[in-house]
Amino acid sequence: MDTSSPSSMLRALLPKVPLIFTTALAHTLWLSPTSTKVDLKTELIVRLIRSFMNSPSPTPISKQQAWSLNDPGIKGKIWISKVNIPPPEEDDIRAVLVHAVESMKEDGEIYTRPEIEPVEAEWTGYRSGVDARRPRLDLSEEQHYAKLMGEVSSDVTILYFHGGAFYLMDPSSHRIPTSRLAQLTGGRCLSVRYRLSPKYAFPCALLDALMAYLYLLYPPPGSFHSPVPASHVVIAGDSAGGNLSLSLLQLILEIRRSSPTRPPTIGFHGQTVPIPIPAGVAVNSAWLDMTRCMPSVVKNATYDYLPPPLTNDHIAQLPRCEIWPTDPPRGDLYCDISMLCHPLVSPLAAKDWSGACPLWLDYGQEMLVDEGKAVAALARKQGVVVDWQEWEAMPHCWSMIFEGLPAAKKAFASWAKFCGDAVGSAESIRTRGKFVKAKSLKEHEVDVEALGEFGREKVLEMMQEARRKREIGEEGEAKLLPRL
């Protein structure tokens, strides 16, 4: 779907006129399943996104990726300072990652050891006193960073990982939410351009995430920023970026569990440095189960735009292109199918969250909500402080799509408050769960420990069965991918 110009947007929307008409009519007559819960604009947008993501004529992965990486430019109420994170001369970060992957994997799980490469990122801050059309100043990146820091009023540093199913988008697509978090917290975000699949399979993105975290804590010579204490860092992300956030936390926990020293140390740019726990992890609609085996994937499809699992008769075959399918064939964009149940691929499979920092998890009543519930419940049972919220009738990443809704403003305020509290007053964070009604915004308290419908062993059994079906070909390699 090309929306790069008004004319291309019009061409994309013209075939959708019948859908727009029937949706509006059903909503007006209170005949749609969501008409009593959301307004017409919200329902229309969800239906339109769903129709594009379930197109009968899918676009090659390479074109989808290229379209999603189209930089909209920098203007208005935002500071951006682009940086390159250099790889350390030491091989320690790759060694600890590979050790963790190996120690947590099962027999028969296959992956390729990643190379350490430079990582691009964007420091993001809120720019006050300008209108939305104000162009970016003609300054060096270091000068832009100084301007950004001139408006920072708190210790909050958010390490942000964007969503996009691990193969789409980058920091430029997420400047609005990251600048909004910076504004609401008075802090700054480091938004990471991690390597995308299918060219870079698991665990490349996770290696980039670990290097970005250590870069914040222990900046090498030439960095714009001073060392940031781990107690000032909140790791955050949406969708696949939420997966990466919790996978990074699980990686840090595994490194600490398996290390003979307390805290574990690593060689990084000529120093021997510890690997501490961050102040918090805050995720929005995190995709935590790459097998997509949980009941809400089907049960909540009414409210969502994500493509549901398909039957064999309706498997969409993605057109061949220069990056997909891979050679040799891998079966899944992000990893080998054998790795789908690995805890660093699907955090839903993680067995131990004890010792983790406070967690904030936010979901709509969406297809991925059950996996979030299961992780939240298990973490709470293991002593982790968990702040959970679910929003009635809302789809995947809803607060980032419907940012003008009162509910979205409330959700963003909660996201920012957690980040601020994690850094400034961690002792004030308490476990709580709430379900928020769509129109009234009335909150209903829920028991976080009781969120999980299934025990961990049953969840693993379901995940393994879904993986088995993929391995023997009952599910096609395009089955769980957006078809744009």
Side-chain angles (χ1 to χ4, degrees), residues 292-301 367 370 453-454 462:
R292 293 188 71 190
C293 70
M294 301 296 279
S296 60
V297 169
V298 174
K299 181 177 62 179
N300 289 356
M367 296 165 70
D370 278 356
E453 182 179 350
F454 306 101
M462 294 163 63

Side-chain angles (χ1 to χ4, degrees), residues 257-269:
R257 284 190 292 258
S258 61
S259 173
T261 62
R262 293 289 184 273
T265 58
I266 190 173
F268 189 71
H269 289 288

Side-chain angles (χ1 to χ4, degrees), residues 296-364:
S296 60
V297 169
V298 174
K299 181 177 62 179
N300 289 356
T302 298
Y303 305 120
D304 217 336
Y305 53 77
L306 294 177
L310 305 175
T311 64
N312 268 7
D313 293 337
H314 297 91
I315 291 171
Q317 296 299 324
L318 287 167
R320 299 181 69 89
C321 63
E322 60 268 26
I323 62 174
W324 187 260
T326 55
D327 185 17
R330 192 166 64 232
D332 186 271
L333 282 180
Y334 184 54
C335 64
D336 189 85
I337 288 177
S338 65
M339 296 292 290
L340 291 177
C341 297
H342 193 285
L344 298 180
V345 171
S346 294
L348 177 62
K351 65 180 180 181
D352 189 1
W353 294 98
S354 58
C357 54
L359 306 179
W360 182 90
L361 298 96
D362 180 277
Y363 284 83

Side-chain angles (χ1 to χ4, degrees), residues 97 119 134 173 271 283 290 298 314 343 370 386 397 412 415 425 433 483:
L97 171 63
V119 177
R134 182 69 64 88
S173 61
Q271 303 179 69
V283 296
M290 300 293 284
V298 174
H314 297 91
D370 278 356
V386 178
C397 291
F412 258 88
W415 197 355
S425 56
R483 288 166 290 144

Side-chain angles (χ1 to χ4, degrees), residues 422-456:
V423 171
S425 56
E427 67 283 351
S428 69
I429 301 177
R430 298 286 184 270
T431 290
R432 64 170 186 166
K434 63 182 181 182
F435 181 86
V436 187
K437 300 291 286 186
K439 286 193 172 180
S440 67
L441 301 187
K442 185 177 180 180
E443 298 180 3
H444 298 268
E445 185 176 339
V446 297
D447 181 356
V448 177
E449 288 193 26
L451 284 172
E453 182 179 350
F454 306 101
R456 181 175 178 275

